[in-house]
Amino acid sequence: MALDPTTLLTITIALAAAAALYLAVEWQTVRGPSLLFWSAGFATISVGSTLALLRSSGILVIGIWFANGLLVTAHWLFLLGVARFTEARLSKAWYLIFVVWLGLLLLPDQPWWSKVMLAANSLLISLLMVKASGLLRPHGKSLSVGAVQLRYVLLVHGLFYFSKAVTAVVPGTLIDLAAFRGEIFQISLVEGTMAVMLIALSMTGSERHRREKRMARLAARDPLTALYNRRALEMRGQRLLESVSQARPAALLLMDIDNFKLVNDLYGHSAGDRLLVALSDIIRAALPQGSLAARLGGDEFVVLLSDTSSEHLLAVGSTLREAFHATASATFSTPQPVTLSIGASLFSQPPPNLAALIERSDAALYESKRGGRNRIQLVDQSVNGSDPLPTQ
């Protein structure tokens, strides 16, 4: 079958429609807004390419001006999708592209009309795609393979349309929009067919990678506080525990809210959830870089500190207790104070496992509770420490 313009347009229509459908199905699973914009873009390409076939029937206004306008609209939707994907904000000036396109209606019917129309159409699409490619720059963050591929596919696609615009204004170049006459049309239709496939695959890969990364992140996080869960702490804490030495001792703090049940009983479980979230925010704000924090369940939280000392550990514990007590007392009025008890273990040799370390700190936490609550009980098993339990 010869690759004439009609055949290439028919292939493009089928590929764009398939891409639109596939991205719409992906959106049903992922619910990523970018997928909707990209799906709408491919659907618009499919409609625009269908209208372009009307040129052979002499319906030029719809087959040329309206069809090419839909092509610009499709690439504008691609840009919006990339903006949503990268969480970037687009200036309202980008909407002026449609004003420029409407202005092309005012062009007189002259022999050079086809060249001006093709040049304007190509420049607008080139501008949209180069901008979309620019939004996908890493900006200091790593991109997925799909996103990197999408960035360069859009860039090459934009540069191709820029070359079309330049070619259109070269003297002597044959361009006849009504009859698809001119070598540039053959090249453009082939490039368009390939671009539809590559852009669709890149978009799908980009969003799928993001979904998998999001799912992995959710699997590692406590759904209420967004701190690590116990499984994630065990995986990520292993490296920290292995780096412990006499010169770089580490510590584990096990925290439990005193009289937490009073908040649930007096104000409801939603109030208790707000208090847990408040404590997680306090923990994030107080912890030094390189620390790990997790919610074990209920009102139990654990923190791993690296390269610390008993003085620093007690200072961090005091900061946490005081900040939490201030927040809880200002938010909830209870018969008994809602405070924070902490059991801590300082060590300079790697423990057998995290569970053994938590068990050691749990014993210290029990002593803290028995000693009157709102305290930190420290087990100092570092080389320079002593096993008696200093308290604060």
Side-chain angles (χ1 to χ4, degrees):
M1 182 170 55
L3 294 179
D4 56 273
T6 301
T7 301
L8 287 171
L9 279 174
T10 303
I11 295 173
T12 301
I13 292 167
L15 289 174
L21 180 60
Y22 183 73
L23 290 170
V25 171
E26 282 285 297
W27 176 80
Q28 290 289 332
T29 303
V30 181
R31 295 289 173 176
S34 58
L35 288 173
L36 277 183
F37 285 110
W38 292 338
S39 177
F42 282 115
T44 304
I45 287 177
S46 185
V47 173
S49 298
T50 301
L51 295 180
L53 292 174
L54 297 177
R55 300 183 197 185
S56 59
S57 301
I59 308 176
L60 301 184
V61 174
I62 295 178
I64 297 178
W65 181 85
F66 197 75
N68 285 343
L70 288 180
L71 188 62
V72 173
T73 302
H75 288 81
W76 183 75
L77 288 169
F78 288 164
L79 174 60
L80 288 185
V82 170
R84 294 302 297 267
F85 181 80
T86 57
E87 299 179 354
R89 294 180 64 88
L90 287 176
S91 168
K92 292 182 178 179
W94 286 98
Y95 290 85
L96 294 176
I97 282 177
F98 297 104
V99 177
V100 174
W101 186 254
L102 289 171
L104 295 177
L105 274 177
L106 303 177
L107 291 176
D109 187 9
Q110 296 292 331
W112 45 261
W113 182 87
S114 288
K115 285 197 170 189
V116 174
M117 175 68 77
L118 181 62
N121 177 78
S122 300
L123 282 176
L124 291 177
I125 292 176
S126 175
L127 183 63
L128 290 166
M129 292 299 90
V130 171
K131 176 63 177 179
S133 177
L135 292 179
L136 285 166
R137 286 181 301 173
H139 295 294
K141 300 178 181 179
S142 61
L143 288 175
S144 68
V145 174
V148 172
Q149 180 178 315
L150 177 60
R151 176 191 174 194
Y152 287 109
V153 168
L154 294 179
L155 178 61
V156 172
H157 189 55
L159 293 177
F160 173 79
Y161 268 89
F162 179 78
S163 67
K164 278 181 63 176
V166 173
T167 304
V169 297
V170 172
T173 304
L174 174 61
I175 296 176
D176 186 348
L177 290 177
F180 290 113
R181 292 178 59 197
E183 187 175 347
I184 189 173
F185 285 111
Q186 295 292 335
I187 298 174
S188 181
L189 289 170
V190 171
E191 189 276 341
T193 303
M194 295 176 60
V196 166
M197 292 188 293
L198 290 174
I199 292 173
L201 290 172
S202 302
M203 287 174 173
T204 304
S206 301
E207 198 58 62
R208 184 178 296 158
H209 175 83
R210 171 173 288 185
R211 177 183 62 183
E212 293 171 353
K213 193 173 181 180
R214 187 185 301 120
M215 290 174 64
R217 184 171 61 249
L218 291 175
R221 297 284 179 175
D222 171 61
L224 177 65
T225 63
L227 294 177
Y228 288 125
N229 54 32
R230 179 164 184 154
R231 180 174 177 273
L233 181 69
E234 289 176 347
M235 294 177 61
R236 288 164 172 77
Q238 191 61 37
R239 181 178 298 178
L240 186 150
L241 297 180
E242 292 173 353
S243 68
V244 172
S245 66
Q246 295 181 9
R248 295 171 59 88
L252 184 141
L253 292 81
L254 185 64
M255 292 168 276
D256 182 89
I257 299 177
D258 306 317
N259 301 312
F260 179 64
K261 188 173 183 297
L262 289 176
V263 175
N264 284 330
D265 292 344
L266 295 174
Y267 297 96
H269 288 280
S270 61
D273 288 346
R274 292 198 304 273
L275 189 61
L276 294 174
V277 172
L279 176 56
S280 69
D281 291 339
I282 291 170
I283 290 173
R284 287 191 189 90
L287 293 188
Q289 188 175 6
S291 305
L292 294 173
R295 181 189 176 199
L296 296 185
D299 59 333
E300 266 197 335
F301 293 77
V302 65
V303 168
L304 272 173
L305 297 176
S306 62
D307 193 14
T308 189
S309 63
S310 58
E311 294 79 8
H312 180 247
L313 177 57
L314 292 173
V316 170
S318 294
T319 299
L320 291 170
R321 288 190 303 105
E322 292 168 6
F324 179 74
H325 179 57
T327 298
S329 59
T331 309
F332 304 107
S333 176
T334 54
Q336 300 176 46
V338 177
T339 53
L340 196 64
S341 290
I342 303 175
S345 178
L346 183 68
F347 53 97
S348 56
Q349 291 185 349
N353 49 57
L354 184 64
L357 191 57
I358 291 176
E359 185 177 347
R360 189 187 306 165
S361 296
D362 191 47
L365 177 61
Y366 176 77
E367 292 296 328
S368 177
K369 292 276 190 181
R370 193 173 66 172
R373 301 178 177 177
N374 192 26
R375 294 152 42 95
I376 177 171
Q377 192 85 10
L378 170 62
V379 179
D380 188 349
Q381 293 190 329
S382 63
V383 172
N384 299 322
S386 55
D387 214 9
L389 305 175
T391 63
Q392 191 182 76

